[in-house]
Amino acid sequence: MNFTDLNKSGGIGSNSSLIELGNFKFLVDSGLHPKEVGKGAVPQLELLDGVDLDFIVLTHCHLDHLGSLPIVMKRYPDVPVFMSLPSRVLAPRMLRNSVNVMKRQRKEQGIPEYPLFTFSDVDHISARFHPLRFEQPEVITKGADELVITLYPSGHVAGAASMLVEHADETVYFTGDLLFDDLQTLPGARIPDMKVDVLVTETTRGLTQRAQDSERDQEWERLFAGVTRTIEQGGTCLLPVFALGRMQEVLAVFADAQKRGKIPRCPIFSAGLGMDIVDYFDQISRETGLIRFRKKVLKQLRVESPRIPQNPGFDKLPKGIYVVSSGMMVEKTPSYSLASCLLHSDLNSVYFVGYCDPDTPGGKLKACTKGEKFWFDVYDLETELHAEVDSFDLSGHADREEILDLVAEFEPQKVVLTHGDPEARRWFAEKIAEESLAPNVIDPEPCVKTPV
Ligand SMILES: [Zn+2]
Ligand SMILES: [Zn+2]
């Protein structure tokens, strides 16, 4: 097998891997780099010049895996894209949102190549999205050669899949993004009970040691306590969340917590793409049973849509809990704008429930201490931070120890490290060697064809 990482910057970014196995050539994911703009955010697709792809697999609908799929599909007008049933429902919606965001960025930031694709491109390519049921092998033939792929649910986010590939007498397992913990809305990963020759694994949390006493349930309890404290002292609570998955999970958990008296009854506000995804999640729950989310959660919580303040720093917001995107408080999103109205008062709180890149406003706010000045660059507004800012370890990725256990169970000859920063990959390489979990560990250099 040959493995080529098309994510030119390495680490986690525009995730996309070209796999050559026997006579087959296929692509796993085609993302957009969240921190780059324009063509710079696209994987190194020039490496596909002259490559006759047989198919593409989409592991899940986060944009760092999905965002450049229409561009690749235009280059390959006949190639099918395999994905899970929920991803088949969610992918077109996420891509249409991406078109809207790019159109706005073209206007506001003058990025001439945006949008990189259009609504009609999305409609067009969606006809080639080929849904596969979990744990049902799909046989793909090419002349006399045969390859079998089987998707397994990988937790992480609705529709997320790991993939087993069997070819001749070789077996390869791609973890995709992986979470073993059960969420309220989504069961954890299911892994086949077998040995594989090659394990291609994500390494996101290679540098993150879970703090003691920070199991998921305890983190939720700590969050409930914070929310309760904020509301009872007459403040407002902001939870910046990702629109896909995290927002619906928070709403479902809060509905349950409110029923059990763990958080007070108070106005809850939610808005944007995530509210739209609520409808899709309801549909996926009803039609596939693969996630557990019903729209009635919104009624239970009496979720209202907030009026996002037009003037930054406005301090007469209706009080309550705001569950809004973006999760990293990216400029001009509802969470960014609301934060500008809340940071000045020690009655309020901002609670992060997901990862924030240190370079994003969310990451910068996490690093800011009380009394320090916080800049809302696009508003040219300076606020002194008095609100409580806290983070809760509710990661969508498996702990590093769990990944090591997975390596131990699969007993692979070779482990290929992907989807992680260089130091995170190094941690895994060292641990796997130290504990003799696999004879070979490969950390492929970006954009270089690596024999595995
Ligand atoms: Zn993901
Ligand atoms: Zn990812």
Side-chain angles (χ1 to χ4, degrees):
M1 173 174 121
N2 287 317
F3 183 100
T4 312
D5 181 3
L6 304 186
N7 173 20
K8 49 199 167 215
S9 53
I12 306 173
S14 49
N15 298 292
S16 184
S17 316
L18 170 63
I19 311 298
E20 296 164 85
L21 187 58
N23 291 320
F24 291 93
K25 296 182 173 65
F26 59 95
L27 203 63
V28 181
D29 292 332
S30 188
L32 274 181
H33 200 298
K35 284 168 72 179
E36 310 278 345
V37 290
K39 293 212 173 81
V42 177
Q44 196 72 47
L45 298 181
E46 294 73 25
L47 293 173
L48 294 178
D49 289 347
V51 174
D52 213 3
L53 278 191
D54 297 297
F55 61 92
I56 300 169
V57 180
L58 173 72
T59 63
H60 65 289
C61 291
H62 282 147
L63 286 182
D64 59 324
H65 296 256
L66 163 72
S68 60
L69 188 59
I71 303 168
V72 177
M73 288 181 74
K74 265 205 255 183
R75 291 174 69 128
Y76 294 96
D78 300 315
V79 164
V81 183
F82 298 113
M83 60 187 73
S84 69
L85 288 166
S87 289
R88 172 68 188 86
V89 176
L90 294 167
R93 180 66 188 90
M94 294 302 287
L95 287 170
R96 279 197 293 272
N97 185 66
S98 188
V99 174
N100 277 330
V101 172
M102 287 190 281
K103 280 182 164 175
R104 205 175 58 222
Q105 286 177 320
R106 178 194 170 94
K107 229 190 271 164
E108 291 174 358
Q109 299 171 29
I111 305 167
E113 62 261 46
Y114 274 176
L116 296 171
F117 47 88
T118 62
F119 291 122
S120 85
D121 289 335
V122 175
D123 287 346
H124 214 68
I125 58 160
S126 298
R128 281 190 280 141
F129 288 174
H130 188 95
L132 297 183
R133 288 184 186 281
F134 285 130
E135 296 176 54
Q136 292 203 359
E138 176 84 5
V139 180
I140 300 160
T141 53
K142 186 176 190 179
D145 205 358
E146 195 179 274
L147 175 142
V148 184
I149 58 176
T150 313
L151 300 185
Y152 289 84
S154 72
H156 184 62
V157 75
S162 301
M163 172 174 61
L164 174 68
V165 179
E166 296 162 282
H167 176 264
D169 51 8
E170 190 169 23
T171 49
V172 187
Y173 198 81
F174 297 82
T175 64
D177 288 9
L178 192 63
L179 177 68
F180 290 102
D181 290 356
D182 283 330
L183 303 180
Q184 178 112 345
T185 54
L186 182 69
R190 231 174 21 231
I191 300 292
D193 183 13
M194 62 188 293
K195 311 291 171 223
V196 299
D197 300 308
V198 180
L199 175 65
V200 180
T201 184
E202 67 130 307
T203 55
T204 314
R205 278 168 72 88
L207 281 193
T208 316
Q209 183 163 21
R210 186 172 274 279
Q212 262 187 344
D213 297 333
S214 71
E215 291 300 316
R216 197 168 289 272
D217 287 351
Q218 286 154 329
E219 287 296 274
W220 279 116
E221 292 293 334
R222 204 162 67 76
L223 178 61
F224 299 155
V227 167
T228 304
R229 199 167 53 237
T230 306
I231 299 302
E232 285 180 351
Q233 70 196 12
T236 281
C237 191
L238 169 65
L239 279 88
V241 289
F242 290 103
L244 175 63
R246 193 49 61 98
M247 182 187 283
Q248 298 77 23
E249 176 76 7
V250 167
L251 293 174
V253 171
F254 277 15
D256 191 52
Q258 220 177 43
K259 239 189 330 198
R260 293 186 294 132
K262 296 253 176 189
I263 57 170
R265 294 198 180 272
C266 68
I268 297 191
F269 302 94
S270 221
L273 171 66
M275 281 292 98
D276 225 25
I277 289 174
V278 156
D279 290 323
Y280 289 78
F281 270 32
D282 188 77
Q283 180 195 341
I284 294 166
S285 296
R286 280 184 286 106
E287 290 177 359
T288 71
L290 292 169
I291 57 176
R292 299 178 288 250
F293 183 87
R294 285 304 170 89
K295 222 180 148 180
K296 65 178 183 212
V297 158
L298 301 186
K299 267 202 189 133
Q300 270 171 322
L301 285 169
R302 298 208 199 97
V303 172
E304 303 169 43
S305 47
R307 288 242 315 275
I308 305 301
Q310 290 308 303
N311 43 341
F314 179 74
D315 67 354
K316 294 203 172 45
L317 282 181
K319 290 193 166 122
I321 305 169
Y322 289 78
V323 183
V324 292
S325 53
S326 78
M328 301 200 201
M329 257 175 63
V330 168
E331 288 88 350
K332 295 192 180 173
T333 58
S335 60
Y336 184 82
S337 151
L338 287 161
S340 78
C341 310
L342 298 173
L343 297 189
H344 68 278
S345 165
D346 60 4
L347 295 177
N348 302 327
S349 55
V350 182
Y351 294 145
F352 291 97
V353 292
Y355 174 74
C356 275
D357 185 282
D359 293 336
T360 59
K364 287 177 189 159
L365 179 57
K366 277 183 173 191
C368 190
T369 49
K370 275 203 178 177
E372 256 180 12
K373 303 254 192 286
F374 187 84
W375 268 101
F376 289 91
D377 296 358
V378 292
Y379 301 147
D380 200 20
L381 172 81
E382 188 188 64
T383 315
E384 214 167 87
L385 173 62
H386 291 286
E388 181 198 351
V389 176
D390 204 350
S391 309
F392 298 82
D393 190 357
L394 297 164
S395 171
H397 291 270
D399 286 348
R400 56 190 190 174
E401 287 75 16
E402 292 176 308
I403 300 264
L404 288 183
D405 288 345
L406 185 72
V407 180
E409 278 167 41
F410 276 137
E411 291 180 23
Q413 286 302 307
K414 294 166 185 168
V415 177
V416 181
L417 305 175
T418 59
H419 198 284
D421 294 330
E423 307 80 48
R425 294 172 190 231
R426 209 168 303 131
W427 185 88
F428 275 104
E430 283 170 14
K431 279 283 166 189
I432 291 169
E434 209 176 287
E435 297 178 22
S436 309
L437 298 177
N440 297 295
V441 181
I442 298 153
D443 183 2
E445 198 180 318
C447 302
V448 175
K449 188 193 279 200
T450 309
V452 172

